[in-house]
Amino acid sequence: MIHKRQKSTSGPLLCLLPVLTVLVLQKLPSVVTESPENATDPKAWFERMNAELHALNREAAQYGWDLSTQHQSRVEFTLESMVQLAQRKSAWLQDTCDEGALYRQHGWPYDRAYYLLCRGPRNTPEELREMAQLFSFIQRIYTETEVCIPANCGLHRPDDDGNEDATILWGNTFVQYPGLTMGHLDLTIVAPIFSQGLTPTVPTKLPHELKCFSGEPDLERLMLLDGIDHVCSGRFPDETVLRWAWESWRMAVGPPMRQPYGRLIELMNRGCMRGANHRDVGECWREELEIPELRILVDRLWHEVKPFYQKLHAVVRHVVREKYPTEASSIDTDGLIPAHLLGGMWSHSWTGYRHDIIPHSINIDQTLGRANWTSMDLVRRAEDLYASLGFSRMTDEFWKHSLIGRGASGGKCHGTAANMFADGADDYRMIVCPRSEAAGHDFYVTVHEMGHIVYYMEASKQPTIFSDGTTAAFQEALGDSIYLGAVTPQHLVRLGLLDSKHMAPEATDFGASSMINTFDYAFLLHMALGKFPTMPFEYLMDQYRWDVFDGSVDYAQDANSYFWFLLERQQGIRPPSSVNSRRELFDAASVYHLSDNTPFVRYFLASFLSYQIYEGLCRSALFGTVSNPTNEIPMPLHRCDLYGSKKAGKLLRKLLALGASVHWTDVLEELTGDVEISAKSLLKYYQPLDEFLDRFIARHRLIVGWEH
């Protein structure tokens, strides 16, 4: 099993592995009535199933690792091998689940194992091959496409006022697709409004020298204002370059993916309709999380945190209007925020505005950068964090095979955690390739990915069918909950990243609490600007796909307009121009998780679970129990330091060791005292900031919410 929290950029086919394993490992058998000869021995079936599943998982894990580390010349060979493996698994699962269905008629203790193994879609071998080819195509479009401009950015053409004419940028944009094809990218339909009426000249030949940008990491970094001067050497305002990057990427990758993705929807739906009475692939995805009425739950959770998000949105909208005065006239005080101005290719990181809201001398990202931690330092710090709770340190195989600080051969590096299902060895691996300009993010990725490995290690004594997390959402939540404990002010002082004076109370204008100070508010703002903008997008990306999968939305006619309807209504953002919602575009494809076919709802749920788990571990560390409601945590939640708590670690190890053998509600109750996923802990964590936002909004007389 390979986990990647971040958007993968390692190669065009790496994330085809989960597609194949999920679609093939989960088959529902046809009904069989006769009994096998050894029907009185279901234990033999269970043991044989686990041994064979372990061997198949080991083979799949090796292919996945090879795809993330090998030269591109080997990718097609590995893809064909994976397709053949998928077809072998299909036949094996059909036989194994058919046999298991017979044992169930005689009573046995393996219902959960049977359910986990045999739920889900049933695609034919021919469909699997076509799906593999289609996913390979759209993944290559995403990972290998480059947007290019002439090295000199085109001819100098000032407008009537002597300013650089931005249409030069749009009119000289080229796209390079996989296979080294190059063509002129027609961006006229999304050109700036002041260029209407211009007819850009389409070059008859390519410029001699081009400067090219991949979507990730190049344009994504640019959207975070990192290296923005690399585009035309500062000849245009930042907001112009941001708009160009935002629009050109969507124009480049969206239209080529639109038709093949429509065919993939048809094929995935076929497999699910052959399954356990599923009507579409959305139902298959939701079944994996074992939550009845999942759509109702995610709607409820989002609307519990939406009021806080709306306050944050109002404050950031105010700052954006001040920072970009030329754009202010197009942003109403109660309006939507243009997506390209918010930070990141998907408006998912607003941390660039934190100092405009609360100026403070301490910047955690810069502080981590000045610490000059090597890649190995990052991994050792993460290992120490888990070890302080009583978890085992990383194995010899981990240090031997992990790629730490060196990119995958022939690929683009991204954070990855892998369970290799090795026989006789604890072989767990990580890929971590930090960037010096994103030290804070790198620390998060390292702690998060090691959380996956810790979960694998603790659950490794379970039979193979149970050796993953209780659900995908818990797998994603574990590392994030430990990260919350890693960035408490106390732990930052312990790491030498924060002066202890910032722990002391101080008189502030931010609130009445005597326990927190200006740094606390700045820290919580930094965390909130990184967390809350991701939540509506995670929520909406799956709502969008669910509605497309089940036919509620006409994919051929309304795929793009419906996408923007959701983002405008719930996220409060809009495209730079109304033409971005045109039918022929496909802006959902600008996110890797669409071509990767990864459900987003697991990350949405993990955002809530991580804070619940963190608070539960805090209660365990302080009181030795999580269930006594009279035990009030005697400090703001964000200051609860878990480092070195053997009580919290013992509880966590006990529950991780169960793997998937129990329902997630059993794990959640033991960890938190609750049996439902809730927003209470998350909102408690940000309560001091919520009060600050109220005062900021009142002081500046801001309108909360947006017209749509």
Side-chain angles (χ1 to χ4, degrees):
M1 183 67 67
I2 291 181
H3 276 278
K4 301 169 299 305
R5 174 63 177 93
Q6 304 308 306
K7 299 166 288 296
S8 169
T9 56
S10 66
L13 303 175
L14 174 62
C15 291
L16 186 59
L17 177 67
V19 171
L20 292 176
T21 54
V22 167
L23 289 175
V24 180
L25 274 176
Q26 299 174 353
K27 308 291 178 206
L28 191 72
S30 55
V31 176
V32 181
T33 56
E34 44 295 351
S35 300
E37 293 181 1
N38 60 342
T40 58
D41 188 13
K43 183 178 180 181
W45 174 90
F46 182 75
E47 292 177 347
R48 183 174 66 254
M49 177 272 291
N50 275 289
E52 293 169 350
L53 178 61
H54 186 87
L56 291 167
N57 285 354
R58 182 176 65 247
E59 189 175 353
Q62 189 60 58
Y63 286 143
W65 186 259
D66 289 345
L67 282 173
S68 67
T69 59
Q70 69 185 358
H71 289 287
Q72 292 299 314
S73 61
R74 298 279 295 171
V75 164
E76 294 301 334
F77 168 79
T78 304
L79 172 63
E80 178 58 29
S81 300
M82 288 171 61
V83 173
Q84 293 177 12
L85 171 63
Q87 293 172 339
R88 283 191 283 121
K89 283 184 175 179
S90 179
W92 173 79
L93 272 162
Q94 187 70 53
D95 292 341
T96 303
C97 291
D98 282 352
E99 184 181 351
L102 297 174
Y103 289 129
R104 298 182 79 195
Q105 299 175 15
H106 300 275
W108 68 338
Y110 304 120
D111 274 340
R112 182 158 181 81
Y114 178 86
Y115 168 74
L116 293 176
L117 183 71
C118 302
R119 64 187 177 180
R122 276 194 306 167
N123 283 96
T124 67
E126 295 76 20
E127 288 170 347
L128 285 169
R129 179 170 293 279
E130 184 179 358
M131 291 167 67
Q133 293 168 345
L134 290 170
F135 275 117
S136 172
F137 173 78
I138 65 175
Q139 287 170 9
R140 289 195 68 189
I141 291 293
Y142 189 95
T143 59
E144 296 182 34
T145 293
E146 292 184 323
V147 173
C148 306
I149 55 175
N152 64 359
C153 207
L155 298 174
H156 179 68
R157 188 170 69 188
D159 60 19
D160 293 340
D161 296 325
N163 300 315
E164 194 73 56
D165 187 347
T167 57
I168 286 290
L169 193 55
W170 272 260
N172 287 277
T173 298
F174 300 81
V175 59
Q176 180 164 281
Y177 287 112
L180 301 179
T181 59
M182 178 75 78
H184 188 262
L185 181 59
D186 182 5
L187 286 170
T188 57
I189 66 167
V190 289
I193 192 169
F194 58 77
S195 69
Q196 288 182 357
L198 288 175
T199 303
T201 301
V202 178
T204 57
K205 62 179 181 179
L206 294 175
H208 291 296
E209 189 176 352
L210 287 168
K211 183 183 296 184
C212 295
F213 304 86
S214 63
E216 296 183 64
D218 299 338
L219 292 178
E220 167 64 3
R221 291 182 183 179
L222 187 149
M223 293 298 297
L224 293 169
L225 298 180
D226 176 25
I228 195 168
D229 289 341
H230 294 170
V231 178
C232 299
S233 301
R235 282 166 56 179
F236 302 108
D238 286 354
E239 54 266 41
T240 298
V241 177
L242 291 172
R243 179 171 175 175
W244 167 82
W246 191 97
E247 292 175 340
S248 62
W249 179 245
R250 283 158 174 77
M251 283 292 296
V253 300
M257 288 192 202
R258 185 183 175 99
Q259 184 175 351
Y261 190 70
R263 174 60 176 164
L264 280 165
I265 293 172
E266 295 176 12
L267 293 170
M268 290 189 293
N269 277 345
R270 285 185 192 175
C272 286
M273 285 188 287
R274 294 191 195 103
N277 298 316
H278 289 320
R279 293 168 293 182
D280 61 86
V281 69
E283 288 192 355
C284 289
W285 284 7
R286 293 192 291 276
E287 181 188 35
E288 186 272 337
L289 290 165
E290 300 186 72
I291 299 175
E293 304 296 340
L294 176 62
R295 298 194 69 152
I296 295 175
L297 172 65
V298 296
D299 285 344
R300 175 176 63 78
L301 290 172
W302 167 238
H303 284 94
E304 285 180 15
V305 299
K306 189 176 180 180
F308 182 91
Y309 174 83
Q310 289 176 315
K311 294 177 187 179
L312 206 61
H313 179 279
V315 171
V316 170
R317 179 175 56 201
H318 168 74
V319 173
V320 168
R321 284 169 52 85
E322 290 192 333
K323 190 165 186 174
Y324 297 107
T326 59
E327 301 275 350
S329 61
S330 68
I331 309 173
D332 294 334
T333 56
D334 62 347
L336 306 168
I337 305 175
H340 65 296
L341 299 178
L342 279 170
M345 187 59 77
W346 309 278
S347 309
H348 63 285
S349 177
W350 302 355
T351 56
Y353 294 110
R354 60 190 180 275
H355 291 295
D356 298 299
I357 302 170
I358 302 180
H360 196 276
S361 60
I362 299 298
N363 181 322
I364 296 300
D365 288 335
Q366 292 178 359
T367 301
L368 277 164
R370 287 194 296 269
N372 292 320
W373 286 356
T374 66
S375 304
M376 190 61 70
D377 289 335
L378 278 172
V379 178
R380 291 291 188 187
R381 295 285 188 181
E383 180 191 40
D384 178 65
L385 189 65
Y386 288 95
S388 79
L389 299 174
F391 289 100
S392 299
R393 292 190 176 271
M394 296 296 103
T395 65
D396 291 341
E397 293 293 312
F398 172 89
W399 299 110
K400 178 180 178 182
H401 295 295
S402 292
L403 298 177
I404 300 173
R406 46 196 174 98
S409 177
K412 299 172 185 176
C413 185
H414 66 281
T416 299
N419 179 2
M420 303 305 293
F421 292 93
D423 288 327
D426 295 328
D427 191 353
Y428 310 99
R429 305 178 185 181
M430 180 187 287
I431 301 176
V432 180
C433 302
R435 309 191 310 267
S436 59
E437 72 278 6
H441 178 72
D442 292 330
F443 186 45
Y444 162 73
V445 170
T446 306
V447 173
H448 175 92
E449 297 300 339
M450 190 164 284
H452 286 303
I453 292 177
V454 165
Y455 213 148
Y456 296 149
M457 293 170 66
E458 292 300 316
S460 63
K461 293 181 176 60
Q462 290 286 341
T464 301
I465 190 65
F466 299 140
S467 61
D468 206 346
T470 183
T471 68
F474 271 79
Q475 264 284 3
E476 299 302 333
L478 173 61
D480 286 5
S481 63
I482 300 302
Y483 175 74
L484 292 173
V487 292
T488 61
Q490 295 94 318
H491 194 60
L492 294 175
V493 171
R494 181 182 291 110
L495 294 175
L497 301 175
L498 182 69
D499 192 304
S500 59
K501 69 181 182 181
H502 294 294
M503 291 285 297
E506 65 181 35
T508 74
D509 295 329
F510 297 142
S513 173
S514 62
M515 297 189 66
I516 58 179
N517 55 40
T518 308
F519 171 77
D520 291 282
Y521 288 103
F523 167 78
L524 287 172
L525 178 67
H526 172 80
M527 295 288 285
L529 291 173
K531 169 55 67 177
F532 276 86
T534 69
M535 296 174 70
F537 192 75
E538 292 164 350
Y539 160 71
L540 296 173
M541 194 66 189
D542 271 8
Q543 181 178 340
Y544 169 76
R545 286 185 286 185
W546 293 340
D547 290 344
V548 168
F549 292 156
D550 69 14
S552 299
V553 172
D554 186 335
Y555 178 79
Q557 299 296 319
D558 302 320
N560 209 51
S561 59
Y562 182 63
F563 183 71
W564 279 107
F565 167 78
L566 291 176
L567 268 61
E568 291 175 0
R569 183 179 182 184
Q570 298 293 354
Q571 201 170 355
I573 65 172
R574 62 169 174 80
S577 170
S578 61
V579 295
N580 282 102
S581 60
R582 283 176 55 154
R583 181 179 303 166
E584 62 266 32
L585 301 181
F586 186 33
D587 286 350
S590 69
V591 184
Y592 185 83
H593 292 72
L594 182 131
S595 64
D596 182 44
N597 210 41
T598 301
F600 251 123
V601 72
R602 64 183 60 171
Y603 304 123
F604 177 77
L605 295 177
S607 293
F608 296 88
L609 283 169
S610 59
Y611 289 85
Q612 282 184 273
I613 294 171
Y614 171 62
E615 183 178 4
L617 294 176
C618 179
R619 290 185 176 279
S620 179
L622 292 172
F623 311 117
T625 180
V626 302
S627 58
N628 189 340
T630 63
N631 290 333
E632 290 292 335
I633 297 175
M635 76 277 290
L637 185 55
H638 74 279
R639 280 202 172 194
C640 186
D641 191 3
L642 299 177
Y643 186 85
S645 173
K646 297 300 189 289
K647 290 180 181 178
K650 182 179 179 181
L651 174 65
L652 192 56
R653 293 199 316 275
K654 168 190 169 184
L655 295 168
L656 298 186
L658 297 173
S661 67
V662 298
H663 194 272
W664 65 267
T665 52
D666 296 333
V667 176
L668 184 64
E669 185 174 17
E670 289 290 319
L671 274 174
T672 68
D674 294 324
V675 294
E676 292 185 347
I677 302 174
S678 165
K680 289 186 297 183
S681 296
L682 184 148
L683 294 175
K684 180 185 293 186
Y685 185 93
Y686 291 104
Q687 180 59 39
L689 181 63
D690 188 44
E691 297 169 357
F692 165 80
L693 293 176
D694 285 338
R695 287 187 294 275
F696 189 100
I697 288 166
R699 185 184 314 124
H700 294 278
R701 299 180 180 179
L702 304 182
I703 299 173
V704 176
W706 51 85
E707 292 291 333
H708 176 259

